[in-house]
Amino acid sequence: QVQLVESGGGSVQAGGSLRLSCAAAASGYTGTSYQRMAWFRQPPGLEREGVACIGTDGTTRYADSVKGRFTISRDNGKNTLYLQMNSLKPEDTAMYYCAADYRVLPTILWLRASSYNYWGQGTQVTVSS
C-alpha cells in the first residue's frame, strides 16, 4: 500500500515563505520511482487544483497562479517531494495535497487530478493579509 505523508504546512503572513515536504513509501517497494509527483491544493469550498508537478527527469509544470513564486523539487533516491513557496498570498490559503503516479502520461495531463492514483492526507496552509 502506497503512503504519502505531507508536512510543513502552517500559518504565515502575506509575503512569507513555507516549504512543504512529502515522503512517499510503499509496502514491498522495489525502489522504482514514481513517474510523476505533484502538489495540488483545495481552497475551502472550491475544487482541487494542480499547483506543480515534476517528472523523473526533472521536467516541471506549474499553474500560472504560482509561477515565479513556487518551486517544486524531488529527491528520487529518498522518494521525497518538496514545494518551496515564496511570496505567499492570502489566495494561496488551502489544503495542500501530495500526489504520485507510476503511469507514463503526456505532460499536458500532469496537472490534472485524474493523472494521479496516490494521494496524501493533506497539510493546511493559511496565509493572512
Side-chain angles (χ1 to χ4, degrees):
Q1 182 175 349
V2 174
Q3 286 187 319
L4 300 173
V5 181
E6 302 98 335
S7 61
S11 297
V12 65
Q13 290 190 328
S17 298
L18 283 173
R19 188 191 192 210
L20 305 183
S21 298
C22 172
S27 60
Y29 189 68
T30 62
T32 302
S33 297
Y34 299 106
Q35 285 293 323
R36 294 175 318 286
M37 298 186 78
W39 289 98
F40 285 75
R41 67 186 182 187
Q42 187 165 15
L46 298 177
E47 294 186 354
R48 192 170 298 189
E49 61 177 357
V51 174
C53 56
I54 186 168
T56 53
D57 63 355
T59 299
T60 58
R61 295 198 71 199
Y62 293 91
D64 289 342
S65 59
V66 305
K67 283 180 181 177
R69 301 188 298 122
F70 290 10
T71 302
I72 189 171
S73 61
R74 65 187 288 182
D75 182 330
N76 286 336
K78 296 181 180 179
N79 264 329
T80 302
L81 182 71
Y82 304 98
L83 185 68
Q84 178 66 44
M85 304 186 294
N86 298 328
S87 302
L88 283 161
K89 305 175 181 180
E91 50 264 43
D92 294 318
T93 295
M95 184 70 78
Y96 282 71
Y97 297 91
C98 172
D101 199 88
Y102 288 108
R103 295 171 294 172
V104 177
L105 295 175
T107 56
I108 196 172
L109 301 178
W110 285 14
L111 284 177
R112 295 186 183 181
S114 59
S115 296
Y116 298 85
N117 282 325
Y118 306 106
W119 295 85
Q121 294 300 307
T123 185
Q124 178 68 37
V125 171
T126 302
V127 184
S128 58
S129 57

